[in-house]
Amino acid sequence: MKPENVLDPSAAMSASRLPLRLLGAGNAGVDPLRIAVLAPPWIPVPPPGYGGIEAVVDLLCEALVARGHEVTLFAARGSRSAARVRTPLEAAHPDEIGSSLYESDHVACAWEEIDLAAERGRAFDVVHDHSGFAALAMADRVAAPVVHTLHGPFVEETIPFYQRHGHKARLVAISRSQAASAPAGVWVADVVPNPIAVDRWPLRVEKADYLLWVGRMDRVKGAHRAIEAARLAGQTLVLAGPVQTGQEEYFRELVEPHIDGRQVHYIGEVGGIAKQELFANAAALLMPVRWREPFGMVMIEALACGTPVIAFPEGAAAEIVIDGENGMLVADEAEMADAVERLGSIDPEDCRASVAERYGVSVSVAGYERVYRRAIGPDRGRPSLPTGDVPESFRLPASPLSRS
């Protein structure tokens, strides 16, 4: 069965450059939804530094509220949002990411409040889960339909989980690559990309003379490969991102020995204006990933600043980076170094435009509105925006799976 693509080009272009409060203008006369959104319990929304999922949830909640929906956000302590915020746990848990104790506690408390709202006659129309595994495993324990965004890859450890529990919610992929990698027995219904508010990122045409790598210090993210590519290119490299629990050995053995304060700089985790300036001034963002990257927020953040991306063609990187237009796709560190010499051929304004057209907030919010109404069922109202034709660049191959 062919996954239903929810992207609507007619809704994407003009609104992506407007303040989010103006996105509600096109929603007149549409019955609003009551939406419960579950963020992970680890990091506040919006994130103070590293936190791609939390940044996505922040923008989505703001845009949904702006379009007239009633949104309740269940998130880590310290969160703030245009939505009504509920923080089930007493504290955020940035150092216990992945802990089943805190994730299950967070989700169970949210489920109790969702059930209580129904008992009081204020039932949620739909629950949108970004929180991890526990909510999907227990999605059949709440009456409201659950939409589950797949923020991680399908890997050996997670495939059996999704085969057992994926049918309990409507699964949404964040890239075509991720959807196409779904294993047998797992039905990915929709593809909706992660959003970015492009006009909140500074466009910088004149660049500094450093290359940039941003991410968590995980081997698959390739900080050590970025170091090698920068060495081959004879360029300064700035590394930014956290060393999370379990990543200490990798950092100590393959990254830290190269940090000399001259050619390789490590500045730790950055956020806010400092992060934006870091992206805007870089000559290029290096993305030497060796895994099926589900999306890669750092790529669209760099591109929004007019900074080209040089990437290995793994996962969504091959969708986000348009070779020769907003960056380059290369096979290895040597080709990455060679690509640095060709950066002058990339127009920063083309980089920014490529993001605004495909990943602006209006693209994602329109997509999720349609996902929600499909999850609820045809008797609960029509899509808030016309469906239109799906751009060829977002079409997915037909799936051999079917669902009654």
Side-chain angles (χ1 to χ4, degrees):
M1 180 177 179
K2 187 174 182 177
E4 301 166 18
N5 194 288
V6 299
L7 298 177
D8 180 8
S10 67
M13 305 305 179
S14 61
S16 63
R17 291 184 174 272
L18 299 176
L20 298 193
R21 62 183 175 80
L22 298 182
L23 290 176
N27 211 30
V30 174
D31 185 29
L33 300 175
R34 299 195 71 236
I35 305 165
V37 177
L38 271 68
W42 325 117
I43 300 170
V45 174
Y50 187 84
I53 295 175
E54 291 76 14
V56 167
V57 169
D58 179 45
L59 282 178
L60 181 60
C61 285
E62 183 182 359
L64 288 170
V65 170
R67 288 181 59 78
H69 301 292
E70 185 178 338
V71 184
T72 298
L73 170 64
F74 296 88
R77 184 60 60 98
S79 296
R80 50 188 172 80
S81 174
R84 175 176 176 256
V85 176
R86 301 292 295 158
T87 55
L89 305 187
E90 293 80 6
H93 294 276
D95 297 325
E96 292 91 12
I97 293 177
S99 166
S100 60
L101 171 65
Y102 297 115
E103 184 180 333
S104 58
D105 193 3
H106 174 75
V107 172
C109 290
W111 259 219
E112 288 178 3
E113 187 159 340
I114 290 168
D115 285 342
L116 184 60
E119 292 174 8
R120 293 175 173 173
R122 295 285 293 164
F124 287 99
D125 295 300
V126 67
V127 177
H128 189 174
D129 173 47
H130 301 264
S131 66
F133 298 106
L136 179 59
M138 298 188 290
D140 55 353
R141 299 295 190 262
V142 288
V146 176
V147 169
H148 174 82
T149 294
L150 296 157
H151 286 287
F154 293 109
V155 295
E156 183 179 357
E157 294 82 4
T158 63
I159 285 173
F161 171 87
Y162 282 106
Q163 289 174 327
R164 280 192 288 267
H165 303 290
H167 67 281
K168 297 177 181 179
R170 190 176 183 97
L171 302 184
V172 180
I174 54 179
S175 67
R176 291 181 292 120
S177 169
Q178 184 192 41
S181 71
V186 177
W187 185 64
V188 177
D190 311 279
V191 177
V192 182
N194 285 336
I196 184 168
V198 175
D199 284 353
R200 295 180 182 179
W201 293 80
L203 173 64
R204 198 69 43 81
V205 175
E206 298 296 327
K207 302 295 185 181
D209 59 354
Y210 66 87
L211 304 173
L212 177 64
W213 177 94
V214 179
R216 65 182 187 273
M217 287 294 169
D218 191 310
R219 188 183 189 95
V220 299
K221 293 289 190 177
H224 62 295
R225 290 186 284 268
I227 291 171
E228 175 62 10
R231 184 191 69 79
L232 291 172
Q235 296 290 319
T236 299
L237 176 68
V238 175
L239 303 169
V243 181
Q244 296 175 338
T245 303
Q247 299 166 1
E248 297 89 350
E249 182 178 355
Y250 164 74
F251 180 76
R252 183 174 60 251
E253 294 183 358
L254 294 181
V255 178
E256 195 169 26
H258 301 282
I259 299 171
D260 57 11
R262 297 185 302 277
Q263 184 175 17
V264 180
H265 302 259
Y266 175 56
I267 60 174
E269 188 173 6
V270 294
I273 295 176
K275 179 182 178 181
Q276 292 187 336
E277 289 297 311
L278 191 66
F279 275 115
N281 289 315
L285 175 75
L286 303 186
M287 195 74 176
V289 294
R290 285 299 186 206
W291 72 314
R292 197 157 188 165
E293 178 75 56
F295 191 79
M297 284 297 296
V298 294
M299 288 187 283
I300 65 172
E301 290 169 347
L303 292 170
C305 296
T307 298
V309 177
I310 308 176
F312 295 171
E314 305 278 356
E319 301 172 31
I320 294 172
V321 178
I322 305 172
D323 192 38
E325 180 176 323
N326 64 5
M328 293 131 182
L329 296 171
V330 298
D332 53 30
E333 292 90 327
E335 287 193 10
M336 185 167 277
D338 291 341
V340 171
E341 300 298 319
R342 305 195 304 275
L343 287 172
S345 65
I346 305 296
D347 187 340
E349 294 188 0
D350 287 343
C351 294
R352 188 175 179 93
S354 73
V355 171
E357 292 173 359
R358 297 181 295 154
Y359 304 111
V361 176
S362 59
V363 176
S364 289
V365 72
Y368 275 122
E369 283 178 325
R370 291 163 60 184
V371 169
Y372 298 154
R373 296 189 186 278
R374 287 168 177 165
I376 292 166
D379 59 329
R380 286 302 305 262
R382 300 169 61 185
S384 57
L385 292 169
T387 56
D389 292 328
V390 178
E392 187 64 33
S393 61
F394 286 105
R395 292 188 186 275
L396 288 162
S399 168
L401 303 177
S402 62
R403 188 184 188 188
S404 59

